[in-house]
Amino acid sequence: MASRLRFKVVDDAFKKRPVEVTVPKERPSDYFAKYVFDRKKMFKYLPADVYKKMCDVIDNGAHFDLTIADAVADGMKRWAMELGVTHYTHWFQPLTEGTAEKHDGFVEHDQKGGMVEQFEGKLLVQQEPDASSFPNGGIRSTFEARGYTAWDPTSPVFVIGDTLMIPTVFISYTGEALDYKVPLKKSLNAVDKAATAVCQYFYPDVKKVVSNLGWEQEYFLVDESLYSARPDLVMTGRTLMGHDSAKNQQMDDHYFGSIPERVENFMRDIEIQALELGIPCKTRHNEVAPNQFELAPIFEEMNLAIDHNMLMMSIMKRVARKHGFRCLLHEKPFKGVNGSGKHNNWSLSTDTGILLHAPGKTPLDNLRFVTFIVETLKAVYDHNGLLTAAIISATNAHRLGANEAPPAIISSFLGRTVSDLLDHVEQMDESESLTVEGKSTLNLDIPSIPHLLIDNTDRNRTSPFAFTGNRFEFRAVGSQANSASAMLALNSAVAEALINFKERVDRLIAEGVNKESAIIKILKEDIKYTKPIRFDGNGYSDEWKAEAQRRGLDCETSCPLIIDNYLDEATVRMFEKVNVMTRNELAARNEIKWETYTKKIQIEARIFGDLCMNHIIPVVTKYQSVLIDNVHKLNEIFPADKAAKISANNLSIIEQISEHESFIVENVNKLIDTRRQVNRIESEREKAIAYHDRVAPFLESIRYHVDKLEQIVDDELWPLPKYRELLFII
Ligand code: ADP
Ligand code: MG
């Protein structure tokens, strides 16, 4: 019987004890990057000239010279074999959002009847996986199955278990990107070129600008026994039904609370593994919702940071199982409590410092600061619809707009100090130079507590794109997303804004205006122009939605329609201008996005119908029969008027059950019918729109009735673990 399963499962969950974790004897700084073929290992395992060339490739973007491939591969193989490695794989990020790998052994015939371990340069540099089953949006039809993976030397290879993992890009036979890494790397290059050129107005020696990313990964942990008794969690990553538990997050007692021991051991375990793989984990804490947590490493160069995030997500999922948990990366696993995001802290830096670092030293420094703030705003304003498209997905849509996350309307919070500074520049005379006050201290007047240095920014948790002192924090990114999607859009847009800025400044200089005045003049224009994107108020309020509409910001809420932004003329022009993606690639990617959207809702609808008809309705009917039986028996032993009085309550429940039940059955049938009709639509875009408009609403309307039944039906009979169990047993 179903109920037995539920109680057994809860019982099993309660019995779990923390799993011991072996903590290395050395310090973290000693075992950091133990399994990474980093510079130290390259120095040891590669010939000196090869090492030098590799450094040039990594540091200066020099072209990888194929003649050194064999030597590099050989060094890697020797290092890896000392760690007991027997296999290697190209590791890539196809458009499925996860990562992909196919392992091959080092072994080859030795031509003497035996085997020998071999790893040649050509295997390191390029592979041809049978790629026909990865999404390609029609770029490559299935009979042309060829796609190439090519080594990305700027992201170091690493070892997991017995396998040497080689980060690679994934491209089609005709050269189009089939992954996230190719356009990401192109966008890094675009922003480097554009920002370096602008930087040289201020610091003529700057040769390179690097994009940085510090991600903060939110996640839920659920006991594995409970998880496995929820087919919806198993199949879709979220609960499609379930009534609020009496207590959820209203007490605010989970955020930054003390971490349960079982969870702490899990965290320790993933952190050790991450550090060994060179991921600089630093912060861990409880999040707002029960059983919700966060992990954040120190920021890194963006390409590496994204590889590390992809790797981290797979480590988290794998290690969770060892501890008897499942790690939920879905953006909204539970209705009524906070969802999970992945804040993307973004900044640009040169080898001398961060370009968004608060001003102070010289007027030119201040001007540099204002330039990069304003041109970032311009990028975000010009492409606010695209940035929404870059973070939206069937799953993240559940989180955005709900009361705990930034809505899917992009705006930027600057805080008072920076806003005042921009206002000041806007009013400036072009011949003035820009001096601003630096940090101020806050005298707390508490004995023995040092004065606090106040950051020049206040905080606004409701803004999707907030300036936080020396970086922008893009908060709308989904917890399970590949951050490359958001970051490559942002980088490309910023590159475009900077190119455009420089063109205008140079034109003025050519007309004889001095450099500083020219910069101030253009900044004044752009400060005025970008005002609609600046918003420091409450981003969750309904007033803001109306105000954003008035300001002309993109307020679309339908995921399939938001995706249209990728094919907007201004978007295509921008991506082509900065040489990141072509119209053809954008169109192909959109096909994949729409198809993925449809499939996600389709799976949800299927499993939901199944749960309703095979789990909920039978149990509810059984309970109703018990009540009916009871009413009959009361009638047998009591006179009619007394029996009627005593059974009034049961009769009412019997009736309520019938009402909910008939709504559910009728609408599940309608849902199935609608799906059948919609599946016949040929166009991926139209199909996705139909799934959004016609199929998805059933999930919400039917759920309401299931959740009502959960409150009526005997707890003993209810077949699914409830929210109070999923969210509070750990
Ligand atoms: P909060 O929760 O207050 O937003 P966290 O400490 O959890 O802050 O995470 C902040 C993230 O931002 C970390 O990954 C940190 O390394 C990163 N970060 C700090 N400075 C920068 C910067 N200049 N550029 C990019 N990321 C940064
Ligand atoms: Mg944050």
Side-chain angles (χ1 to χ4, degrees), residues 213-482:
L213 167 62
W215 44 265
E216 302 163 51
Q217 179 73 54
E218 293 180 337
Y219 61 98
F220 280 87
L221 289 175
V222 173
D223 185 274
E224 184 156 34
S225 339
L226 300 168
Y227 169 92
S228 52
R230 291 282 316 213
D232 48 356
L233 268 184
V234 174
M235 295 288 153
T236 72
R238 75 175 179 116
T239 53
L240 299 172
M241 46 185 68
H243 199 278
D244 276 0
S245 65
K247 173 177 191 269
N248 46 49
Q249 63 190 42
Q250 66 272 58
M251 305 290 287
D252 286 331
D253 52 356
H254 193 253
Y255 191 56
F256 283 14
S258 73
I259 302 170
E261 194 187 349
R262 208 177 139 201
V263 176
E264 203 168 25
N265 275 15
F266 162 76
M267 287 176 167
R268 195 169 293 133
D269 206 351
I270 54 174
E271 279 172 11
I272 292 167
Q273 297 199 31
L275 286 166
E276 286 175 342
L277 285 165
I279 305 173
C281 285
K282 186 170 171 76
T283 307
R284 58 179 172 202
H285 60 78
N286 283 5
E287 260 302 327
V288 173
N291 281 5
Q292 191 187 27
F293 308 93
E294 181 183 297
L295 172 144
I298 301 169
F299 72 92
E300 298 176 280
E301 183 279 321
M302 185 175 286
N303 179 38
L304 186 60
I306 289 176
D307 280 358
H308 280 169
N309 180 243
M310 298 307 289
L311 184 55
M312 195 70 226
M313 290 195 287
S314 64
I315 295 173
M316 288 163 78
K317 285 195 238 173
R318 180 165 46 78
V319 176
R321 300 194 64 178
K322 183 173 129 198
H323 291 258
F325 291 128
R326 284 293 186 142
C327 176
L328 306 182
L329 293 175
H330 193 289
E331 286 82 1
K332 192 77 181 174
F334 305 101
K335 194 177 167 178
V337 298
N338 277 14
S340 301
K342 176 153 49 207
H343 295 177
N344 277 208
N345 292 272
W346 173 91
S347 70
L348 299 174
S349 60
T350 66
D351 49 0
T352 54
I354 301 224
L355 293 175
L356 296 166
H357 207 283
K361 274 186 276 173
T362 67
L364 211 57
D365 256 346
N366 297 333
L367 215 47
R368 174 267 304 160
F369 174 73
V370 176
T371 300
F372 280 94
I373 293 281
V374 170
E375 294 314 310
T376 303
L377 286 181
K378 183 152 185 294
V380 174
Y381 179 42
D382 281 340
H383 297 286
N384 69 89
L386 168 67
L387 290 174
T388 314
I391 52 92
I392 203 71
S393 65
T395 52
N396 202 17
H398 288 290
R399 163 181 165 258
L400 298 174
N403 232 15
E404 76 284 356
I409 304 169
I410 302 295
S411 66
S412 183
F413 165 89
L414 294 180
R416 220 194 57 223
T417 319
V418 179
S419 294
D420 288 351
L421 177 60
L422 296 200
D423 292 346
H424 172 74
V425 175
E426 193 188 346
Q427 304 304 328
M428 258 169 85
D429 189 87
E430 278 141 39
S431 56
E432 275 178 70
S433 64
L434 186 57
T435 44
V436 287
E437 285 166 31
K439 291 194 174 190
S440 46
T441 53
L442 179 67
N443 189 344
L444 284 179
D445 211 18
I446 309 170
S448 80
I449 301 281
H451 290 180
L452 293 184
L453 204 58
I454 14 179
D455 226 315
N456 268 334
T457 62
D458 17 0
R459 291 237 159 191
N460 177 337
R461 292 263 163 209
T462 68
S463 177
F465 197 78
F467 182 68
T468 50
N470 59 0
R471 60 192 188 264
F472 279 97
E473 188 171 336
F474 195 5
R475 301 208 181 102
V477 182
S479 47
Q480 61 182 329
N482 184 324

